[in-house]
């Protein structure tokens, strides 16, 4: 009997020892790394001098970082945002940076928030995906043009509770600025006029004033007449000569459209005439001078002031 009990007890101990040995298996936990699975650069497209353009975070040209990491993790994203785009010789200011974040691959973006660098919180969804989108405003001056401008956008993401889960990525911001607009003016030149006899130069007349606007081919511009003289002043004197009934006309040889009265005419033009340097549009001006019966002889002059800007490129 004693021998039998010893054997059963020994068996029980052996089995119990086996259970204990299996209850604590050895295993190593590995944290899931953070990575950018897709990105898109901020792209302002083709711009014109003095034509400010804003790319919103929701726009097609926005910068996009799609991040993958631990499900439901809250990441702290540190951004280094450029203040200018540059081509090495010229610069283009960047302002009004803003961002949206979205939780999950198909998550709705949170309302755009102004940022100037620093930290943005990005919460990953149950699928481990979060999306950060960036937008900004570019403001080319009148002097820049015919160049592509770029800058780097740096993105650093980390999970605050797990310092080893970090990521550094870089994207770019870019804009292509077309050439500035130039204006060439050919003066209006009346033939000899006589006291008491009005004289007219139509816009299509060879002696009419011609304004040649040169810039990027097929771009749209807006022309504004800031000053049209109502009188001309005699060289070397103070006598004046009335000039009225200003008309303008556009098109090849200024025959492409009916004459339109100024002020109030012009407005939008398109630089559709191809030149070696880009595109051109021609605007011709005509007017009527009315000498008085006692008009002093001499040469009379006046200035036309015009401003122009791109409205699209």
């Amino acid at each position: 009997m004693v021998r039998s009990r010893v054997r059963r007890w020994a068996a029980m101990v052996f089995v119990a020892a086996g259970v204990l040995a299996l209850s604590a298996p050895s295993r190593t936990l590995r944290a899931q790394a953070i990575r950018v699975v897709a990105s898109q650069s901020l792209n302002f497209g083709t711009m014109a001098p003095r034509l400010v353009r804003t790319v919103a975070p929701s726009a097609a040209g926005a910068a996009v970082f799609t991040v993958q990491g631990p499900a439901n993790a809250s990441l702290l994203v540190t951004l280094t945002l450029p203040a200018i785009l540059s081509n090495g010789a010229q610069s283009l200011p960047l302002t009004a940076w803003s961002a949206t974040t979205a939780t999950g691959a198909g998550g709705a973006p949170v309302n755009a928030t102004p940022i100037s660098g620093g930290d943005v919180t990005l919460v990953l969804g149950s699928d481990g995906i979060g999306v950060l989108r960036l937008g900004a405003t570019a403001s080319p001056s009148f002097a820049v043009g015919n160049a592509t401008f770029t800058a780097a956008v740096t993105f650093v993401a980390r999970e605050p509770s797990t310092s080893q889960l970090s990521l550094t990525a870089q994207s770019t911001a870019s804009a292509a600025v077309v050439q500035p607009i130039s204006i060439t003016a050919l003066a209006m030149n009346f033939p000899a006029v006589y006291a008491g006899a009005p004289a007219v130069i139509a816009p299509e007349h060879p002696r009419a004033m011609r304004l040649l606007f040169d810039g990027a081919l097929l771009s749209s511009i807006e022309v504004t007449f800031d000053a049209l003289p109502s009188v001309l002043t005699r060289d070397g004197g103070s006598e004046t000569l009335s000039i009225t009934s200003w008309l303008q006309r556009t098109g090849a040889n200024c025959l492409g459209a009916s004459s339109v009265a100024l002020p109030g005419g012009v407005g939008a033009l398109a630089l559709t005439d191809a030149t070696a340097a880009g595109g051109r549009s021609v605007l011709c001006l005509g007017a009527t001078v009315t000498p008085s019966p006692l008009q002093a002889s001499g040469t009379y002059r006046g200035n036309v002031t015009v401003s122009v800007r791109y409205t699209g490129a």
Side-chain angles (χ1 to χ4, degrees):
M1 293 294 291
V2 172
R3 189 176 300 168
S4 174
R5 285 180 182 173
V6 170
R7 283 198 294 270
R8 285 197 295 274
W9 182 253
M12 290 174 66
V13 171
F14 177 79
V15 173
V19 171
L20 290 172
L22 294 173
S23 65
S26 164
R27 56 181 180 176
T28 302
L29 292 173
R30 298 189 63 185
Q32 182 180 353
I34 301 171
R35 61 194 184 101
V36 172
V37 294
S39 64
Q40 174 179 293
S41 296
L42 175 61
N43 185 2
F44 289 93
T46 301
M47 300 183 64
R50 296 184 67 183
L51 187 63
V52 174
R53 178 169 296 170
T54 297
V55 174
S58 58
V64 182
F65 294 92
T66 302
V67 180
Q68 185 179 59
N72 304 312
S74 180
L75 306 182
L76 202 59
V77 178
T78 300
L79 297 165
T80 303
L81 303 173
I84 61 169
L85 299 177
S86 175
N87 67 352
Q90 299 173 309
S91 62
L92 188 159
L94 285 181
T95 57
W97 284 91
S98 59
T100 63
T101 59
T103 299
V110 177
N111 291 338
T113 303
I115 54 174
S116 58
D119 295 333
V120 176
T121 299
L122 178 63
V123 179
L124 306 187
S126 58
D127 56 359
I129 297 294
V131 180
L132 174 68
R133 300 178 65 94
L134 301 174
T137 297
S139 306
S141 71
F142 184 80
V144 302
N146 271 354
T148 298
F149 298 80
T150 59
V153 177
T154 303
F155 169 104
V156 180
R158 65 187 185 280
E159 188 180 31
S161 62
T162 316
S163 59
Q164 72 268 25
L165 296 183
S166 62
L167 163 75
T168 299
Q170 195 171 77
S171 184
T172 59
S174 64
V177 182
V178 299
Q179 69 193 81
I181 305 170
S182 65
I183 305 175
T184 303
L186 305 178
M188 180 186 298
N189 185 9
F190 281 85
V193 297
Y194 300 94
V200 177
I201 286 187
E204 61 272 19
H205 194 282
R207 289 177 174 266
M209 178 179 293
R210 276 170 167 70
L211 300 175
L212 282 57
F213 301 97
D214 290 286
L217 182 62
L218 302 182
S219 294
S220 298
I221 62 173
E222 181 182 77
V223 178
T224 302
F225 284 92
D226 303 306
L228 288 170
S230 58
V231 295
L232 307 179
T233 303
R234 187 173 69 86
D235 287 353
S238 58
E239 297 88 349
T240 60
L241 171 63
S242 173
I243 182 168
T244 58
S245 302
W246 287 91
L247 298 172
Q248 66 87 15
R249 198 167 186 177
T250 60
N253 298 316
C254 294
L255 296 174
S258 299
S259 297
V260 176
L262 292 174
V266 194
L269 295 175
L271 305 181
T272 54
D273 299 334
T275 66
R280 170 177 289 177
S281 186
V282 180
L283 180 64
C284 300
L285 303 182
T288 299
V289 292
T290 308
S292 71
L294 300 176
Q295 190 74 48
S297 61
T299 300
Y300 292 76
R301 302 179 192 273
N303 294 321
V304 172
T305 305
V306 61
S307 60
V308 61
R309 69 180 184 93
Y310 279 111
T311 56

